[in-house]
Amino acid sequence: MIDSFSERLLHWFDQHGRQHLPWQQDVTPYRVWVSEIMLQQTQVTTVIPYFVNFLKTFPLVDRLAAASMDVVLHHWTGLGYYARARNLHKTAVLITNEHNGEFPLTINELEALPGIGRSTAGAIVAICTNRKAAILDGNVKRVLSRCFAIEGWPGSSATTKKLWEKAEYLTPEDRVADYTQAIMDLGATLCVRSSPDCGRCPFESGCIAHLTRRIDDFPARKPKRALPVRSTTMLMIENPAGEWLLQQRPSPGLWGGLWAFPEGDGVINVLAQLNLDNTCIQSQVRLEEFRHTFTHFHLDITPVHVKLHQTPPAIGEKPIVWYCPGAPAEIGLTKPVTRLLKELE
Ligand code: SF4
């Protein structure tokens, strides 16, 4: 008789769960940690090639610790939420220097490391030791709030508290590693955000949201607030060799550590910051404006393509590179840089 939540879930996992994801093979705390950080805001199918490439470049934590931040950000380019990569590097350095290269496998010690929250710590302990530890990532929040009709936006502290209590209560004593994989899997494959596949779900007969036809009510949406809008002019400066001028963004800060086109309040101001005058400029073309949205504001970007007659010997005060898309340097690029270079290709 399969009656408890975990038994149902494990029974489903044994038959239908994904057992061949790259981080499910050769399980080590390092591999699980990297996968959990990558999966925090990104879907499995996107993460897989990044994970494989990352592990090829940094097979062990000390290799990651020894790499420069530029190289780490380069391997993260395209995954977004770059604070994850910066924290990954900081944690690798701490693990290497202060923990002899071994991950501490208690929730409290893991939570003390940069970028590791309660859920990620729980996943690492559960998957690597099979000891009881609950997780509550976005997938699990969705499954639990639907199954048990937990009202409220999961980002609020009151709802988070209720969800954690439920997650702790449901986590079994046995097969914790499989249970952890299973609940993440169910949320990622069947109990997806829109049009969940309830007909194949092990909780079809007991899920309150499904039985009451209120799936769209759970989890509750974040209360809407209008994001402020800022604007900027971004200069795509190209030298006669077809290379693009990129500046490194200060860290911490927006796009901290990444390389970006110089930007600011209008063409004249940006050129002045760079100590470039009109005599160097061959042509200047304004491109179509577009919007880049951060979590806390919209940025309306006006790109201007500026061609130079010659490469000036010195430009501005920030670190710069002349970036050649055909032979790219190992540096992390902001999303607008990737997008604009692709558009001009
Ligand atoms: S029955 Fe549907 S809504 Fe409920 S947990 Fe399963 S997939 Fe999600």
Side-chain angles (χ1 to χ4, degrees), residues 143 146-147 190-191 196-198 201 203-204 207 210 215:
V143 171
R146 284 174 174 169
C147 271
L190 296 186
C191 195
D197 194 349
C198 302
C201 176
F203 303 120
E204 189 193 6
C207 169
H210 173 61
I215 286 170

Side-chain angles (χ1 to χ4, degrees), residues 32-100:
V32 172
W33 166 63
V34 172
S35 70
E36 286 296 319
I37 300 296
M38 286 187 170
L39 289 164
Q40 273 171 6
Q41 273 113 342
T42 314
Q43 292 196 339
V44 167
T45 44
T46 309
V47 164
I48 289 173
Y50 278 91
F51 178 84
V52 171
N53 177 41
F54 202 85
L55 267 290
K56 209 181 277 173
T57 311
F58 312 113
L60 296 167
V61 70
D62 56 348
R63 294 279 290 277
L64 178 57
S68 73
M69 185 65 90
D70 270 338
V71 172
V72 177
L73 289 170
H74 171 72
H75 286 278
W76 203 271
T77 293
L79 263 185
Y81 299 97
Y82 290 87
R84 294 185 295 175
R86 289 191 290 273
N87 282 331
L88 208 66
H89 187 254
K90 280 186 209 158
T91 290
V93 171
L94 285 172
I95 297 282
T96 304
N97 295 343
E98 294 179 17
H99 295 271
N100 287 327

Side-chain angles (χ1 to χ4, degrees), residues 281-339:
I281 295 174
Q282 178 185 321
S283 63
Q284 190 175 306
V285 179
R286 196 185 151 118
L287 307 177
E288 198 179 327
E289 185 183 301
F290 65 95
R291 175 167 284 187
H292 181 84
T293 297
F294 293 93
T295 45
H296 49 301
F297 69 95
H298 298 296
L299 184 64
D300 285 346
I301 297 171
T302 304
V304 180
H305 181 189
V306 177
K307 279 194 168 188
L308 301 182
H309 286 299
Q310 59 188 55
T311 308
I315 292 188
E317 283 157 15
K318 294 181 187 161
I320 63 149
V321 290
W322 285 100
Y323 184 79
C324 175
E330 289 208 324
I331 54 176
L333 306 178
T334 64
K335 207 164 181 184
V337 169
T338 318
R339 170 184 172 151

